[in-house]
């Protein structure tokens, strides 16, 4: 059984996730903590190659099912390359996005439904469920404002306002269905306030000292 702790970060594009994970890594570095920071899709050679195919704005004809399967494939490889070895050696693993993103973006956003997404992610769900998942709760209208609009080379960001509204609702639904695992952070707060909530949740759960 895995000994390390597994923490994931979720939210709409531009919600402020990256700032929070950077602040957490700096905090842990200052204390000499042994941890691994990684991201999805990506985090290793094969998964990064899959990431490029998925996000490439030129791959407009990709079917929704193909997209969902590629995210799941990148995830399985990333688990084997990075997450599993780190957890087995007792490390703390921090991951920017994980299977909850597939429930938000593919199940809700693309409309593929929870059943399909759960079935293709069963391996990750059964064997590597996070100990805690932080959802940075910021509606897409505000998230995109913060980012100055969508990145024109990013297929997901180009998917349209209605799509991103559904994604947002998908995240809220995941958090409501998994209340014990999720910690919802109000994304409208200052970065310092959000970070303080993240730290205290990690301390309460004895994930960090
Ligand atoms: P990324 O640049 O990492 O987004 P961000 O920095 O905003 O987190 O790109 C990842 C994109 O992939 C993002 O739009 C969310 C999407 N995604 C899914 O649609 N399904 C998934 O399972 C995952 C992990 C990501």
């Amino acid at each position: 059984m895995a000994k390390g702790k597994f923490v994931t970060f979720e939210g709409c594009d531009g919600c402020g996730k990256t700032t929070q994970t950077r602040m957490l890594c700096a905090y842990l570095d200052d204390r000499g903590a042994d941890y691994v920071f990684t991201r999805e899709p990506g985090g290793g050679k094969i998964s990064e190659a899959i990431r490029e195919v998925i996000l490439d704005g030129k791959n407009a004809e990709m079917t929704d099912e193909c997209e969902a399967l590629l995210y799941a494939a990148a995830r399985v490889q990333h688990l084997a390359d990075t997450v599993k070895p780190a957890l087995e050696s007792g490390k703390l693993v921090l991951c920017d996005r994980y299977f909850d993103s597939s429930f938000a973006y593919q199940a809700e956003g693309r409309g593929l439904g929870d059943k399909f997404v759960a079935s293709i992610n069963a391996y990750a769900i059964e064997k590597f469920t996070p100990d805690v998942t932080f959802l940075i709760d910021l509606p897409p209208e505000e998230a995109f404002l913060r980012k100055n609009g969508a990145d024109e080379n990013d297929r997901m960001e180009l998917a349209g306002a209605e799509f991103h509204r559904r994604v947002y609702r998908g995240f809220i639904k995941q958090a409501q269905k998994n209340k014990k695992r999720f910690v919802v952070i109000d994304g409208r707060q200052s970065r310092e306030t959000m970070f303080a909530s993240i730290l205290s949740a990690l301390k309460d759960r004895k994930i960090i000292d």
Side-chain angles (χ1 to χ4, degrees):
M1 252 333 259
K3 287 180 289 167
K5 295 286 183 192
F6 188 19
V7 178
T8 58
F9 296 83
E10 299 282 2
C12 293
D13 292 85
C15 68
K17 215 162 28 64
T18 307
T19 306
Q20 293 303 316
T21 53
R22 279 197 192 129
M23 287 169 84
L24 182 56
C25 290
Y27 176 92
L28 294 170
D29 288 340
D30 282 349
R31 283 155 187 80
D34 199 9
Y35 70 96
V36 169
F37 174 71
T38 185
R39 69 164 182 180
E40 281 206 2
K45 189 176 62 137
I46 296 170
S47 308
E48 288 289 337
I50 298 174
R51 176 190 173 90
E52 276 185 33
V53 174
I54 304 175
L55 297 182
D56 190 342
K58 292 194 220 82
N59 287 337
E61 72 274 33
M62 185 181 293
T63 68
D64 295 342
E65 289 80 1
C66 174
E67 176 186 291
L69 287 160
L70 285 176
Y71 277 114
R75 181 160 302 130
V76 169
Q77 187 66 38
H78 177 239
L79 284 170
D81 288 345
T82 310
V83 179
K84 186 167 184 257
L87 290 177
E88 281 177 353
S89 65
K91 285 188 183 146
L92 167 63
V93 177
L94 309 175
C95 189
D96 185 347
R97 297 196 183 282
Y98 191 49
F99 61 61
D100 294 300
S101 279
S102 286
F103 283 98
Y105 285 80
Q106 281 69 52
E108 292 297 324
R110 299 297 192 204
L112 292 173
D114 287 352
K115 210 168 145 204
F116 177 73
V117 168
S119 72
I120 62 174
N121 281 282
Y123 175 74
I125 292 168
E126 281 157 22
K127 298 217 157 103
F128 302 95
T129 297
D131 294 287
V132 55
T133 298
F134 290 100
L135 172 62
I136 312 289
D137 176 357
L138 190 67
E141 305 81 17
E142 293 175 46
F144 276 104
L145 267 181
R146 197 181 271 192
K147 267 179 107 283
N148 288 323
D151 175 350
E152 297 208 344
N153 298 312
D154 185 317
R155 216 173 47 83
M156 301 305 289
E157 289 193 17
L158 287 173
E162 251 323 296
F163 170 80
H164 287 282
R165 282 298 309 167
R166 290 195 296 275
V167 169
Y168 176 69
R169 285 198 294 270
F171 276 127
I172 300 296
K173 187 171 134 192
Q174 273 302 96
Q176 283 168 350
K177 271 170 84 177
N178 301 279
K179 284 208 171 83
K180 270 195 168 160
R181 175 165 63 87
F182 268 83
V183 175
V184 180
I185 306 284
D186 181 350
R188 294 191 183 101
Q189 302 173 105
S190 72
R191 61 176 68 179
E192 290 75 21
T193 307
M194 287 196 260
F195 185 58
S197 304
I198 290 174
L199 273 191
S200 88
L202 291 173
K203 287 179 183 172
D204 285 350
R205 286 168 176 72
K206 310 241 175 306
I207 291 175
I208 61 170
D209 300 327

